[in-house]
Amino acid sequence: MANLSGRARRKNTYDAIVVGSGITGGMAAKELTQKGLKVLVLERGRMVRHLEDYPTAVLDPWQTKYPQGQLPQAELDAHYQVQRRTNYTMTEYTKHFFVRDDQDPYTEENRFDWIRGYHVGGRSLTWGRQSYRHSPIDFEANAREGIGVDWPIRYEELAPWYEHVERFIGVSGQHEGLSHFPDGHYQPPMEMNCVEKAFKSRSESRFPERRISIGRTAHLTEPTEEQLSLGRTKCQYRNMCIRGCPFGGYYSSNSGGLVAAERTGNLVIRPNSIVTELIYDEKAGKASGVRILDTETKQDEEFYADVVFLCASAFNSAWIMMNSTSSRFPNGFGNGSDQLGRNVMDHHLGVGATGDAPEFADMYYSGRRPNGIYVPRFRNLGDEATKRGDYLRGFGYQGGASRPIWDRDLGNRAKGAKGFGAARKAALTQPGPWSMGLGGFGEILPYQDNRITLNREVKDQFGLPTLSMNVTMRENEIAMRRDMQTAAAEMLEAAGFKNVKGHDGGYAPGLGIHEMGTARMGRDPKTSVLNAHNQVHECKNVYVTDGAAMTSASCVNPSLTYMALTARAADHAVQARKRGDL
């Protein structure tokens, strides 16, 4: 029996285990395998392979079962009570990339919109692809203002890894030369349309400190040889990215990191494998591997490695750690600080302004650009000119100008759209009026009582404990939202647009789909979970590199930072393993 057990353990032993296959799991797999490690990637969801498993990627509107792919209300009510809270995810085109909420429940002590998908590639298939670096002031803000804990690294330490990731994934963008909006390594930028160019010129003349740029997005506009060799090609301007891109025009784990890792011959991907806990070796004083539940056989199994990377997303990585208890870690793995599950952050949104641009009625554009404009943060930049007295930190705007096309009235058919026959068809061949919108992305501060906890009373479809969410916005964010609406309207009015209206449609935490902070990095093990290299303070061979690691949120999309932290941590892990430090 001992020999059989030994053989089974050797069969299930790797140099490294990566938990999760999304934006950070794919990057960890690439970096570790290319440095020579034999890597097992464990994904709780089903297999999704690039090209093969994007069933709606080229579906035409008339091929859907329901008009515009809109799912019946009964189906949404039964299966997607939370996922439908977003305005773009839950359609016939996309539902296979999102969880069914009746199978994967959680408890909302306060409303939290947890938008997620369980499959190989995770949310790297459905992310917004906006790719910005955190700035020096983002890494310094907590220490300067006495908020939360200090980041254990600074921008300069991460900058080479930002460039490393940008070169691999391919980011198109425009250099702006702003210290608070750091430039990176970019492929040629996408072009603004005529209304956006006018907005930039006119608004910047009135507010020169409010720079307007094209979005920095992980789409190929001038692919490198490396990217072409992976089977990727230029963005086709289809703007159907959320269905999965058969061209590999935007970056995903499925078209990039996992492909590169597989080509080393050092990768094994095991889908349908829920990691339920880390295995802690009391004698060795380190993690020896992980325990999984196979969702097909319903059997438990163990896998072993010298190093473990948790890349399962901020909440699921924290769930694994909270569910991993032992005599060494009675309150959760690496939780001597009692910070595990705390300091939940997101980006608050749903606030801004819109306006009309009737003077451009004779102009149109070509293609469906999967990108918009970006207005970098212009508040609280460390000088008196930008300082606000009513709130800390700041926000940026994302937005753009467009004209609605032939389907603009389809949503009104139930109400009785006007016109029939030839006249109706002729009217629909003409585009609708130009409109321009700005939507804010604001920073949420790290509050330690914004937290998730393990709920052993409510179980998921596999009988596993679930999470309870207790996260709220505070006065700082509420004050910021007032300014976000006012400043957006000011800029549109300065551009001479008509019918300018500010709006705040409300926001619940989670809706930014940027959950962060549940196992934060820090300098002191008494107040943080991870060190400067993303290692668990109390167990150095476990690294956490997804959103859980974030110490503060900034106001920019965070995925580029996650990937840079992951690449840096993987390099550290390989070198530490060689030295025998793990």
Side-chain angles (χ1 to χ4, degrees):
M1 275 309 249
N3 287 337
L4 285 173
S5 177
R7 286 199 297 271
R9 178 160 182 148
R10 285 193 297 273
K11 179 184 175 184
N12 284 6
T13 297
Y14 298 81
D15 297 327
I17 292 171
V18 175
V19 182
S21 61
I23 208 81
T24 55
M27 187 59 62
K30 169 196 174 286
E31 295 295 315
L32 294 169
T33 57
Q34 288 184 340
K35 290 175 169 64
L37 273 59
K38 300 292 184 182
V39 176
L40 172 67
V41 170
L42 294 168
E43 167 56 52
R44 67 178 292 152
R46 62 187 173 86
M47 174 60 77
V48 171
R49 289 203 173 274
H50 184 52
L51 297 178
E52 300 173 22
D53 296 321
Y54 306 150
T56 63
V58 295
L59 206 62
D60 287 312
W62 53 87
Q63 294 176 299
T64 59
K65 183 177 180 181
Y66 305 107
Q68 294 183 292
Q70 294 176 347
L71 295 175
Q73 191 64 40
E75 184 173 353
L76 293 171
D77 290 344
H79 305 309
Y80 303 109
Q81 304 95 328
V82 174
Q83 305 309 302
R84 68 180 178 186
R85 293 177 186 174
T86 63
N87 60 6
Y88 73 98
T89 58
M90 196 41 53
T91 68
E92 188 178 343
Y93 297 115
T94 62
K95 69 175 184 177
H96 48 284
F97 286 147
F98 294 89
V99 301
R100 277 181 44 173
D101 296 305
D102 53 324
Q103 295 177 338
D104 291 285
Y106 61 97
T107 300
E108 297 175 273
E109 296 179 39
N110 287 288
R111 177 174 167 174
F112 193 98
D113 299 342
W114 192 13
I115 311 301
R116 56 204 157 121
Y118 293 153
H119 47 264
V120 169
R123 288 184 294 195
S124 79
L125 288 174
T126 56
W127 67 310
R129 307 167 306 283
Q130 294 290 294
S131 300
Y132 305 100
R133 298 183 179 197
H134 280 37
S135 72
I137 63 172
D138 293 321
F139 288 98
E140 298 161 6
N142 278 6
R144 185 176 60 250
E145 298 165 355
I147 300 293
V149 299
D150 186 18
W151 276 91
I153 61 173
R154 289 294 183 259
Y155 173 78
E156 292 73 20
E157 296 170 73
L158 202 56
W161 297 103
Y162 275 130
E163 180 166 344
H164 177 77
V165 170
E166 288 161 349
R167 286 179 180 274
F168 176 69
I169 70 173
V171 179
S172 68
Q174 178 71 46
H175 289 85
E176 295 291 349
L178 302 174
S179 62
H180 62 279
F181 187 57
D183 293 329
H185 181 85
Y186 301 133
Q187 296 186 7
M190 296 180 176
E191 186 179 3
M192 293 184 188
N193 62 42
C194 58
V195 175
E196 293 162 350
K197 289 176 180 177
F199 173 66
K200 174 178 171 63
S201 174
R202 298 170 184 177
S203 182
E204 285 183 353
S205 67
R206 170 66 177 84
F207 300 107
E209 75 283 4
R210 303 183 192 183
R211 188 73 62 85
I212 299 165
S213 187
I214 190 68
R216 296 170 175 176
T217 187
H219 285 255
L220 301 182
T221 56
E222 194 174 272
T224 64
E225 287 301 317
E226 179 184 30
Q227 290 154 356
L228 291 169
S229 73
L230 293 174
R232 302 181 63 197
T233 190
K234 275 188 178 182
C235 174
Q236 303 295 299
Y237 280 54
R238 300 165 69 241
N239 199 23
M240 298 177 180
C241 314
I242 197 171
R243 306 184 195 183
C245 180
F247 303 94
Y250 76 83
Y251 178 78
S252 69
S253 288
N254 306 60
S255 66
L258 294 177
V259 177
E262 282 185 312
R263 291 187 178 183
T264 67
N266 291 330
L267 178 69
V268 174
I269 302 175
R270 192 183 199 278
N272 305 305
S273 303
I274 301 176
V275 174
T276 56
E277 59 183 306
L278 293 152
I279 303 170
Y280 185 71
D281 185 330
E282 300 275 357
K283 183 179 291 187
K286 64 180 183 180
S288 59
V290 300
R291 185 169 292 113
I292 72 149
L293 172 66
D294 187 304
T295 61
E296 294 181 312
T297 68
K298 307 300 189 292
Q299 299 298 308
D300 293 333
E301 195 164 351
E302 294 180 355
F303 294 91
Y304 309 94
D306 294 335
V307 60
V308 177
F309 269 65
L310 292 184
C311 301
S313 81
F315 285 3
N316 283 317
S317 288
W319 181 95
I320 291 167
M321 296 176 77
M322 288 189 285
N323 200 48
S324 303
T325 57
S326 61
S327 58
R328 172 69 179 86
F329 299 120
N331 298 316
F333 195 95
N335 194 27
S337 63
D338 189 36
Q339 293 301 308
L340 187 62
R342 296 184 181 273
N343 311 296
V344 173
M345 298 170 287
D346 185 25
H347 290 129
H348 61 102
L349 67 167
V351 56
T354 59
D356 299 331
E359 67 186 280
F360 296 92
D362 61 338
M363 304 289 286
Y364 199 63
Y365 47 85
S366 176
R368 297 189 293 271
R369 186 192 67 199
N371 190 17
I373 65 162
Y374 191 76
V375 181
R377 173 179 164 182
F378 51 87
R379 301 295 201 210
N380 294 323
L381 300 180
D383 56 18
E384 285 302 314
T386 62
K387 185 177 180 180
R388 295 283 300 193
D390 50 345
Y391 64 85
L392 299 172
R393 312 290 166 95
F395 56 88
Y397 289 118
Q398 298 179 32
S402 62
R403 305 184 75 169
I405 52 174
W406 65 270
D407 61 354
R408 61 188 179 272
D409 288 333
L410 291 183
N412 295 323
R413 286 185 300 182
K415 302 175 184 177
K418 296 179 180 179
F420 296 93
R424 175 71 171 158
K425 291 178 182 179
L428 289 177
T429 63
Q430 303 303 310
W434 280 101
S435 63
M436 174 92 195
L438 293 176
F441 259 56
E443 180 167 354
I444 292 179
L445 297 177
Y447 305 101
Q448 74 167 352
D449 55 343
N450 270 351
R451 68 184 303 193
I452 59 173
T453 53
L454 204 62
N455 187 340
R456 297 191 181 277
E457 302 300 316
V458 177
K459 302 296 178 68
D460 68 9
Q461 60 180 311
F462 302 106
L464 296 170
T466 57
L467 290 174
S468 290
M469 319 293 195
N470 189 356
V471 182
T472 60
M473 282 204 307
R474 312 299 165 89
E475 182 54 41
N476 195 77
E477 292 77 46
I478 294 169
M480 186 187 294
R481 292 179 75 81
R482 291 192 286 265
D483 188 30
M484 291 161 79
Q485 182 176 171
T486 299
E490 288 174 344
M491 294 173 72
L492 292 169
E493 288 169 349
F497 293 163
K498 308 301 181 185
N499 194 31
V500 173
K501 296 179 180 178
H503 61 82
D504 185 344
Y507 161 83
L511 195 59
I513 323 181
H514 294 161
E515 62 269 15
M516 297 174 259
T518 53
R520 69 182 176 190
M521 299 170 71
R523 301 178 185 274
D524 187 348
K526 295 179 181 178
T527 58
S528 58
V529 180
L530 309 176
N531 69 13
H533 298 289
N534 293 81
Q535 295 168 285
V536 174
H537 281 299
E538 298 170 278
C539 186
K540 294 297 196 294
N541 72 326
V542 176
Y543 292 74
V544 185
T545 67
D546 54 27
M550 300 295 282
T551 307
S552 65
S554 179
C555 64
V556 298
N557 302 59
S559 293
L560 186 69
T561 298
Y562 299 170
M563 288 187 277
L565 288 171
T566 299
R568 178 175 177 269
D571 183 69
H572 181 272
V574 170
Q575 300 306 319
R577 183 174 178 269
K578 286 180 181 177
R579 295 191 302 266
D581 292 346
L582 300 182

